[in-house]
Amino acid sequence: MPGTRFPTARLTLGQMRRSAGRLTAAGVAIAIGTAFVTVTLLAGDLINRTARDMIAAEYATADLVLSVDDPEGLTRYDDAAVTAIADLDGVAAVQPLAAFWGDLRHAGKGSYQVFVPAPSHESLSPLELTEGTWPARSGQIAIPPSVVERLGVGVGDTVTLQRSVYPDEAETAQGGTGEGSVEGEAEMVEPVAQTDELEITGVTSDPYGAFTGTGGAVAATAGDVAAWTAEEGADVSYEEVLVALDEPLTGTEVPADLRDALAGAAAATGMAADHVAVETTEARAAAKTIEQTGGQDLVFMVFVLTFAAVALLVAGLVITNTFQVLVAQRTGTLALLRCIGAGTGQLYRSVLLEAAILGALASLAGVAVGAVLTQVALLVAPSFDLGIPLPSAISLTATAVVLPLLVGIAVTVLAALSPARAATRVAPLAALRPADAPTLRGRAGRLRAVLTTLATVGGFGLLGLGAALGLAERPDVGLLAGVAGGAISFVGVVLGSVLWLPKVTAAMGRLVNRSGPSARLAVANTLRNPRRTAATSTALLIGVTLVTMMSTGAAGARQSADTMIDSEFATDIIVAPGSDETIDEVRSAVADVEGLAASTAIAGSFVTLGDVSDLSVNAVEPDALPGVINTPEEAAKLTTGTILLTEGAATSLRVADGGTITATGPDGTLDLTVAVTTAGPLNRIITTTDLAVLDADAVPHAVWARLATGADATTVLSDVQDATGAVDDGAMVIGPAAQAAQFRQVVDVILGIVVGLLAVAVVIAVIGVTNTLSLSVIERTRESATLRAIGLSKGQLRRMLAVEGTLIAGVGAGVGILLGVLYGWAGSVTALSLMGDVQLVVPWTDLAVVVGISLVAGLVASVLPARAAARTSPVAALAVE
């Protein structure tokens, strides 16, 4: 009979239709979790593709890449091998991958650039010509837009190339002309500075970002690149050679006869044939991606999937709470089904089938949302000028679709196991009331209390041990103990929440008890059903704890990183003039640059410290040093008669902080007191007064400067280069501040991503609060009707539910913040102790935002249920079965 087929499925679908509204929030939670997993997998694929495309861009659209297949990397292609390969039948063009670094100068401005050969074939270079022509003869170049802007030049202009040339070794070898040479010996060859005038014939673009990391590439003739490389003292040979074929390859494999021909041509010039690797461009790029990333893409995937797992864990808790309340609401229905013959197995399968259907539908929606969000991000990304080429569309792989779907279904079904077992325990004549929560008076309650207490106390003990090991410079073992302790203690707190959280809520409720009958009823509701109160608050507690922990850890890490960066990059700008005669003009030019707070001259000499000779020391006026250093507390250690040494330098010189060391210079000797500094650039710093005693002829040789507050490091560095270049063409400008800014940006981005990822868990937790509170209101329809019948107004009913939701959310947020700060501090002490003194920071702004969001979430969560309860007339509600 059709009516008797698949009774469990028909029962399940009927129950889902009746509970569609109640299941929606649970479905949204699991959809967010699976969307997170989908985005993670797609982002990992995009990172792989982007890295591969950036590496492949170097190979342009070449058919083949010839590389060196030698574990020791000794074999290389020379010009003879390249020529032999180019002469093969079927080879259209060959171009070795070569590079030369040189300093381009024009009108006092400089740009240190990489030079590459102009393309011998359109498929062998990633560069494209946008203006002018490619260089056709020696002394011609085509430049990227960055050089055009930096030097203010264009097609037809002339620029100067500054490079180092090593004289012919024959001139300084046996019988050479080097002064002081001894017959039979070769002297060290010193480079000679040389300049070349180069004509700009064209402007290029790099549409695939092959040279993004080097700020663009200058194209020169292959002969010039080879000649400059040789004159610099390097061998002219190549690790990789690009090949364009007359007939492009149609497959992904290199034909064996072609591979043998290429290897044979290289071998004919003396190169071992078995060291010639012949690959397609795509295969070479994929191999090089793995080689250069070192598997970091996998690390990224594991890192982000960890946060996806956290989101799914919170979503699982929401699912569990949802089904627990649904099963409790269906107690009467389940009891009736048992009376008419339904078995416990059918009820169990019905709940699990409902979970599986919900998980499948929600996960499909999550996969779709994740894919759409990722594609939208790709479309929006170009407007942010990220500096790297991104794919235009996502690639929906089977893994990116099937894995989130399976994970979503699995999490939903696992979350429903406990409620499903509860459904099978409903007796045929059970009353319409939810199961009681465990209490300390029952055996199960006492067992739960003992186990959760042991887990909580033992976990916090391990957490403390991890922090102690971190301070003892054993962060590896300390992290293991800390992570284990944090996990165990948190499990103990969450599992025991049903026993203590309602009592905490009631204690907090005393603060609002006197505000009226609505508030007193709200507080009473939190105590009447402890399981419901704990379930509602725990989801938010988990999310808030995680976010607070990471915010606290991030704040500590950021402050510790700032301290470390300030010590490592104590100076913002360093200028070394090309000539001692221009030091005053250079200092004056630097002082006039807008965006600098202070600058000072640095003198130097070579002295003997202790028994170590020829050590350079720098000298500065002690009153000027704090103004040009990012660590003024370290600069304050410098006084007359003192020398600043890093801990490593002091150890190597066998002196301690506060000890004395003898300094001997060309003109005198001093006993200096050692002051150990944590700032690397302050190593071997003395006062100008002391330097005058040691070396009366010492003169300033550099200028140190510090950025003004809020000044952009890159802009100021460029302005300093322009100002000093106008005074001294040979002045070298170093900008540690720009590097420090990059480090800070990386730290901020990483920490922002971490906190942002965990914010997803809070969103899901808020959904859980809304869902559980809504279901609890539906569960209390008769109770609300009774209150209305005995005189409670609609407004009072709404206020009661608002107070209840806000109180439960506030307690969950408050406990979560306390736990999160504690875990964040312990993690900071454990992981950051090697960076120096750990700063235990409380991110008050972040905590205020979390509390505000939690309270608003609890209030908003009560709005819709309260309106529904207030709209229902007492007579109709009392008639509900």
Side-chain angles (χ1 to χ4, degrees):
M1 297 282 297
T4 62
R5 293 177 182 175
F6 310 114
T8 301
R10 289 188 293 104
L11 171 64
T12 301
L13 293 175
Q15 294 279 24
M16 292 188 72
R17 282 193 295 270
R18 293 181 58 193
S19 308
R22 308 173 193 178
L23 292 172
T24 299
V28 170
I30 204 66
I32 292 176
T34 51
F36 203 166
V37 177
T38 302
V39 170
T40 299
L41 295 174
L42 291 175
D45 178 66
L46 286 173
I47 289 173
N48 257 336
R49 288 168 58 193
T50 301
R52 187 170 63 250
D53 290 347
M54 290 181 68
I55 292 173
E58 182 182 16
Y59 305 132
T61 57
D63 294 299
L64 298 174
V65 180
L66 275 61
S67 57
V68 177
D69 186 14
D70 180 6
E72 298 182 1
L74 300 177
T75 304
R76 295 170 68 93
Y77 299 89
D78 57 17
D79 286 332
V82 173
T83 302
I85 293 169
D87 290 339
L88 289 175
D89 291 337
V91 174
V94 175
Q95 182 160 309
L97 287 182
F100 169 81
W101 286 88
D103 190 10
L104 286 178
R105 291 276 174 171
H106 179 75
K109 299 179 181 179
S111 183
Y112 198 63
Q113 294 292 145
V114 62
F115 290 71
V116 299
S120 58
H121 188 277
E122 61 181 6
S123 67
L124 298 183
S125 175
L127 299 177
E128 293 182 359
L129 197 65
T130 59
E131 184 181 350
T133 61
W134 290 110
R137 57 180 174 81
S138 178
Q140 294 183 336
I141 57 173
I143 60 176
S146 59
V147 176
V148 172
E149 182 178 355
R150 182 78 185 86
L151 301 185
V153 294
V155 175
D157 291 334
T158 300
V159 293
T160 301
L161 170 64
Q162 294 185 354
R163 57 191 180 91
S164 298
V165 174
Y166 283 77
D168 190 342
E169 291 183 1
E171 296 180 6
T172 54
Q174 181 176 341
T177 59
E179 183 181 349
S181 62
V182 179
E183 186 175 354
E185 292 185 4
E187 287 189 350
M188 181 180 296
V189 181
E190 294 293 336
V192 177
Q194 180 167 321
T195 59
D196 299 281
E197 296 299 316
L198 304 178
E199 177 191 357
I200 300 172
T201 63
V203 178
T204 64
S205 67
D206 183 11
Y208 304 105
F211 300 102
T212 299
T214 60
V218 177
T221 63
D224 276 349
V225 173
W228 294 336
T229 302
E231 289 176 349
E232 200 176 50
D235 293 333
V236 180
S237 57
Y238 319 103
E239 291 185 357
E240 294 179 312
V241 176
L242 305 184
V243 176
L245 301 175
D246 291 331
E247 295 293 335
L249 292 177
T250 55
T252 58
E253 296 293 330
V254 181
D257 57 342
L258 178 58
R259 187 190 307 272
D260 293 341
L262 293 168
T269 64
M271 187 174 182
D274 56 352
H275 288 164
V276 177
V278 182
E279 301 169 278
T280 63
T281 301
E282 183 177 350
R284 179 60 181 161
K288 204 167 181 179
T289 301
I290 295 174
E291 175 187 331
Q292 292 192 6
T293 60
Q296 293 305 307
D297 54 312
L298 178 61
V299 173
F300 170 83
M301 290 287 288
V302 172
F303 175 78
V304 182
L305 280 173
T306 300
F307 294 104
V310 171
L312 287 172
L313 174 64
V314 179
L317 183 62
V318 173
I319 299 295
T320 303
N321 292 342
T322 300
F323 277 93
Q324 282 177 341
V325 176
L326 286 176
V327 168
Q329 289 178 328
R330 296 173 184 169
T331 302
T333 303
L334 296 175
L336 180 61
L337 290 171
R338 291 290 308 281
C339 287
I340 62 176
T344 56
Q346 286 179 301
L347 298 182
Y348 186 78
R349 289 192 297 273
S350 175
V351 176
L352 293 186
L353 179 60
E354 185 175 0
I357 294 173
L358 175 65
L361 295 176
S363 298
L364 281 173
V367 170
V369 170
V372 170
L373 288 177
T374 309
Q375 181 60 56
V376 170
L378 278 182
L379 296 176
V380 173
S383 62
F384 290 95
D385 191 20
L386 300 177
I388 56 174
L390 292 173
S392 58
I394 61 174
S395 177
L396 273 180
T397 62
T399 302
V401 174
V402 175
L403 183 59
L405 184 61
L406 294 178
V407 168
I409 295 173
V411 168
T412 310
V413 172
L414 289 174
L417 287 177
S418 178
R421 285 195 300 270
T424 63
R425 292 195 293 267
V426 177
L429 298 179
L432 294 176
R433 64 179 180 84
D436 292 330
T439 66
L440 291 174
R441 290 188 295 273
R443 181 177 178 182
R446 288 195 297 270
L447 179 62
R448 179 190 286 253
V450 170
L451 292 178
T452 56
T453 300
L454 289 175
T456 303
V457 174
F460 280 122
L462 270 177
L463 193 67
L465 176 62
L469 289 171
L471 291 174
E473 298 188 357
R474 291 296 308 274
D476 48 352
V477 182
L479 277 176
L480 291 176
V483 170
I488 293 172
S489 62
F490 194 50
V491 168
V493 169
V494 171
L495 292 182
S497 62
V498 72
L499 299 174
W500 59 264
L501 204 150
K503 295 180 174 60
V504 174
T505 306
M508 295 295 295
R510 295 192 185 98
L511 300 176
V512 297
N513 251 338
R514 297 181 181 179
S515 60
S518 297
R520 288 195 293 274
L521 285 172
V523 175
N525 283 336
T526 63
L527 288 174
R528 287 182 58 250
N529 196 324
R531 186 187 296 276
R532 183 177 62 215
T533 300
T536 305
S537 190
T538 301
L540 194 60
L541 183 150
I542 292 175
V544 169
T545 298
L546 292 172
V547 171
T548 303
M549 176 185 70
M550 293 310 303
S551 295
T552 303
R558 184 180 289 109
Q559 190 152 333
S560 298
D562 283 344
T563 301
M564 184 185 70
I565 290 171
D566 283 340
S567 296
E568 188 69 23
F569 301 99
T571 52
D572 287 339
I573 303 285
I574 302 174
V575 181
S579 170
D580 291 343
E581 287 75 16
T582 62
I583 182 66
D584 291 334
E585 295 176 80
V586 167
R587 181 182 178 184
S588 177
V590 171
D592 291 337
V593 173
E594 186 177 354
L596 291 178
S599 62
T600 190
I602 305 295
S605 182
F606 286 90
V607 302
T608 297
L609 290 178
D611 55 3
V612 181
S613 59
D614 293 328
L615 289 178
S616 64
V617 294
N618 287 321
V620 63
E621 291 290 341
D623 293 340
L625 185 60
V628 296
I629 291 295
N630 292 320
T631 52
E633 68 282 356
E634 296 296 313
K637 297 178 181 179
L638 181 65
T639 58
T640 302
T642 300
I643 183 170
L644 301 184
L645 295 175
T646 61
E647 187 173 352
T651 301
S652 65
L653 292 171
R654 297 187 296 278
V655 291
D657 189 19
T660 301
I661 191 170
T662 301
T664 303
D667 298 315
T669 299
L670 281 175
D671 288 332
L672 300 173
T673 302
V674 173
V676 173
T677 177
T678 59
L682 296 185
N683 189 35
R684 297 201 296 269
I685 290 281
I686 61 176
T687 65
T688 52
T689 302
D690 290 335
L691 181 62
V693 174
L694 299 174
D695 186 355
D697 297 326
V699 295
H701 64 86
V703 176
W704 286 3
R706 184 172 62 84
L707 295 177
T709 303
D712 179 73
T714 304
T715 302
V716 175
L717 177 62
S718 178
D719 292 343
V720 171
Q721 288 175 327
D722 292 341
T724 55
V727 173
D728 184 343
D729 265 353
M732 180 176 66
V733 180
I734 302 175
Q739 294 174 280
Q742 288 180 331
F743 278 111
R744 285 190 171 91
Q745 185 176 12
V746 169
V747 170
D748 288 342
V749 168
I750 291 175
L751 296 178
I753 289 173
V754 170
V755 176
L757 291 176
L758 282 175
V760 175
V762 173
V763 173
I764 297 175
V766 169
I767 292 173
V769 172
T770 305
N771 193 33
T772 311
L773 191 59
S774 300
L775 292 173
S776 70
V777 171
I778 296 172
E779 186 184 55
R780 289 179 288 168
T781 301
R782 283 175 170 271
E783 176 186 318
S784 300
T786 303
L787 290 173
R788 290 287 314 284
I790 61 176
L792 196 70
S793 67
K794 291 182 179 181
Q796 288 176 316
L797 180 61
R798 285 195 291 265
R799 283 195 295 274
M800 178 192 77
L801 294 175
V803 171
E804 182 180 350
T806 305
L807 186 59
I808 292 175
V811 170
V815 176
I817 284 174
L818 291 176
L819 290 174
V821 170
L822 178 61
Y823 288 141
W825 282 353
S828 296
V829 171
T830 304
L832 303 177
S833 55
L834 289 181
M835 296 173 60
D837 294 335
V838 179
Q839 306 292 327
L840 297 182
V841 181
V842 178
W844 295 109
T845 302
D846 294 349
L847 300 188
V849 171
V850 169
V851 171
I853 291 176
S854 301
L855 294 178
V856 171
L859 181 62
V860 172
S862 68
V863 172
L864 292 178
R867 291 181 61 188
R871 281 199 306 265
T872 305
S873 67
V875 176
L878 289 171
V880 172
E881 292 294 335

